[in-house]
């Protein structure tokens, strides 16, 4: 399937799939979307909830590792908050090295001091845990989402799969039950999606679901919590 690099409205790049008319990130701003959905309403939100345990690692699962943008921004923000991160990225179809070299995230984020980190994230081998720094580990797993077998392992899930319009099978009760089991009690799942069918699938497996203001170009997004009393 053909893929091409495009520039989104905030100047950051993403990968476009013409056959699906679908992007890896929002065409209204890849970096803006990542910060709003996954950092502000996921990582930073959980960090505030979890402020009493700042010496403990936060374990994050990304569904759709893709371009590595969410992992890279999480690395940068974790540095600012002095948090230790165990990051797991699941991806069935990894981005090619040629595509990675054309992505402009370091330049757009003005994070030149971390250029080597972004490259390292993509160059590291799959199926192994690697220390990017002493405070940030990365494990990339090449598998389909329904093959995830983790139980009570993660504090946060970044659910960044392709949209339900093109891959509805990734937004079902079956998939969200796997996500529910993978989260620790009190953990949160965040996604750019806001469809009623997605929200109902999350609720059906036990999540408490909030509608939140969406990133540029979207009215709403969803945050699901594995409540303590569930």
């Amino acid at each position: 399937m053909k893929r091409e690099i495009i520039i989104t409205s905030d100047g950051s790049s993403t990968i476009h799939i013409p056959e699906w008319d679908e992007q890896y990130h929002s065409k209204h701003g890849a970096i803006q979307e990542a910060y709003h959905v996954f950092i502000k309403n996921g990582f930073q939100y959980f960090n505030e909830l979890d402020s009493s345990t700042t010496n403990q690692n936060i374990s994050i699962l990304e569904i759709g590792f893709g371009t590595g943008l969410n992992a890279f921004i999480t690395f940068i923000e974790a540095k600012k908050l002095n948090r230790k991160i165990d990051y797991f990225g699941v991806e069935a179809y990894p981005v090619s090295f040629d595509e990675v070299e054309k992505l402009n995230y370091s330049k757009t984020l003005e994070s030149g001091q971390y250029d080597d980190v972004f490259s390292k994230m993509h160059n590291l081998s799959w199926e192994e845990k690697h220390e990017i720094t002493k405070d940030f580990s990365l494990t990339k797993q090449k598998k389909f989402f329904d093959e995830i077998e983790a139980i009570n392992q993660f504090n946060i899930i970044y659910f960044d799969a392709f949209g339900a319009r093109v891959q509805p099978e990734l937004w079902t009760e079956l998939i969200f039950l796997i996500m529910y089991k993978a989260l620790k009690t009190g953990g949160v799942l965040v996604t750019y999606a806001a469809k009623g069918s997605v929200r109902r699938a999350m609720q059906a497996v036990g999540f408490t679901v909030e509608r939140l203001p969406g990133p540029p170009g979207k009215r709403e997004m969803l945050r699901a919590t594995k409540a303590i009393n569930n």
Side-chain angles (χ1 to χ4, degrees):
M1 195 176 297
K2 182 181 178 182
R3 305 195 296 196
E4 56 190 24
I5 307 296
I6 65 170
I7 301 299
T8 67
S9 295
D10 65 4
S12 59
S13 51
T14 192
I15 299 175
H16 175 67
I17 301 176
E19 184 177 330
W20 287 352
D21 190 25
E22 183 81 352
Q23 291 75 229
Y24 276 60
H25 308 285
S26 171
K27 64 183 179 182
H28 298 283
I31 286 176
Q32 288 181 1
E33 178 191 46
Y35 263 102
H36 181 88
V37 176
F38 302 109
I39 301 302
K40 176 184 175 181
N41 289 300
F43 175 54
Q44 291 177 349
Y45 170 79
F46 184 83
N47 182 68
E48 292 172 3
L49 291 179
D50 194 50
S51 59
S52 63
T53 57
T54 53
N55 291 326
Q56 296 182 18
N57 290 21
I58 294 178
S59 184
I60 299 174
L61 170 64
E62 181 178 9
I63 298 301
F65 183 76
T67 65
L69 174 60
N70 295 330
F72 187 48
I73 291 178
T74 301
F75 171 84
I76 293 170
E77 294 304 309
K79 283 276 190 185
K80 297 176 184 178
L81 295 173
N82 196 31
R83 291 303 305 244
K84 296 181 178 180
I85 306 295
D86 290 323
Y87 201 100
F88 294 77
V90 174
E91 177 62 58
Y93 303 100
V95 171
S96 72
F97 292 123
D98 287 343
E99 289 169 323
V100 170
E101 290 179 354
K102 296 175 183 176
L103 299 172
N104 68 356
Y105 301 137
S106 293
K107 179 180 178 181
T108 308
L109 288 163
E110 298 181 350
S111 57
Q113 70 270 36
Y114 299 131
D115 279 355
D116 60 327
V117 170
F118 183 69
S119 297
K120 187 176 183 180
M121 285 178 168
H122 285 281
N123 290 325
L124 291 174
S125 59
W126 293 71
E127 317 305 334
E128 296 181 273
K129 181 176 181 178
H130 299 274
E131 281 197 353
I132 302 293
T133 67
K134 64 181 180 65
D135 294 325
F136 192 102
S137 70
L138 173 63
T139 305
K140 299 186 297 182
Q141 298 178 328
K142 187 178 178 181
K143 61 172 64 172
F144 294 105
F145 303 152
D146 60 3
E147 296 174 329
I148 295 169
E149 298 178 340
I151 302 293
N152 298 325
Q153 184 174 343
F154 304 105
N155 302 112
I156 306 169
I157 295 177
Y158 295 165
F159 200 89
D160 200 16
F162 283 125
R165 177 180 62 84
V166 296
Q167 290 194 303
E169 69 276 9
L170 303 182
W171 302 85
T172 62
E173 288 184 25
L174 171 64
I175 295 296
F176 286 118
L177 180 59
I178 293 171
M179 300 299 106
Y180 187 86
K181 291 178 178 179
L183 273 177
K184 296 179 181 180
T185 300
V188 298
L189 178 154
V190 284
T191 182
Y192 64 87
K195 289 185 67 173
S197 59
V198 173
R199 176 176 51 82
R200 290 188 292 273
M202 292 175 173
Q203 292 171 327
V205 303
F207 279 116
T208 300
V209 185
E210 306 169 76
R211 291 189 186 95
L212 301 172
K218 284 190 66 71
R219 186 166 61 88
E220 293 181 326
M221 58 164 283
L222 298 176
R223 180 168 63 212
T225 302
K226 185 174 181 176
I228 293 173
N229 61 352
N230 280 5

